[in-house]
Amino acid sequence: MENQQHCTAAFLHVSQAFDEVRHPGLLLKTKRILPSSYSNLLKSYLNESQFETKFNGETSSHFHIHSGVPQGGTLGPLLHVLYNIQGNFIRHIRGMTQQYLQLMKTLR
């Protein structure tokens, strides 16, 4: 900035983007992209997601969650990207996904 140079940035906020990820569609795509062990683990993780509400000291029954991905971690953005992959690009993303999963293993 001191040298009168400019820096341009664009920010995009997609409201409730992570909430719009439907589990059946995500699982179908991950089944085609990921190794079966990862796909099965993800299926188990998503199928076990539940919530309950509390109001005035009363707690509701448990309800299964059929859409949305976790936010605030590394898994949520990856699942969101996988869900939004279109057509032939799925073929090309498989190698990148496997590299990402290997990286996550090494960071533990």
Side-chain angles (χ1 to χ4, degrees):
M1 294 295 224
E2 294 175 8
N3 297 333
Q4 304 257 330
Q5 295 176 347
H6 299 279
C7 177
T8 304
F11 299 93
L12 177 64
H13 174 71
V14 182
S15 181
Q16 299 178 342
F18 287 81
D19 298 336
E20 299 298 321
V21 175
R22 303 278 306 150
H23 293 178
L26 175 61
L27 293 172
L28 180 66
K29 287 186 177 184
T30 58
K31 189 175 183 179
R32 293 177 17 202
I33 296 170
L34 300 175
S36 61
S37 58
Y38 291 117
S39 181
N40 290 336
L41 182 62
L42 181 62
K43 181 178 179 181
S44 173
Y45 172 70
L46 291 175
N47 284 341
E48 298 300 320
S49 298
Q50 299 181 6
F51 75 95
E52 65 184 16
T53 58
K54 294 182 180 182
F55 183 73
N56 288 339
E58 301 274 332
T59 303
S60 72
S61 302
H62 288 91
F63 296 94
H64 289 280
I65 300 173
H66 300 287
S67 65
V69 294
Q71 300 176 37
T74 56
L75 187 59
L78 175 64
L79 295 177
H80 184 262
V81 168
L82 291 176
Y83 180 75
N84 287 295
I85 290 173
Q86 298 295 319
N88 292 333
F89 190 65
I90 291 175
R91 243 178 322 130
H92 303 291
I93 199 71
R94 183 175 186 160
M96 291 172 37
T97 303
Q98 290 174 343
Q99 289 175 358
Y100 177 83
L101 293 170
Q102 284 299 103
L103 176 63
M104 290 295 101
K105 277 190 203 176
T106 61
L107 293 177
R108 288 189 212 179

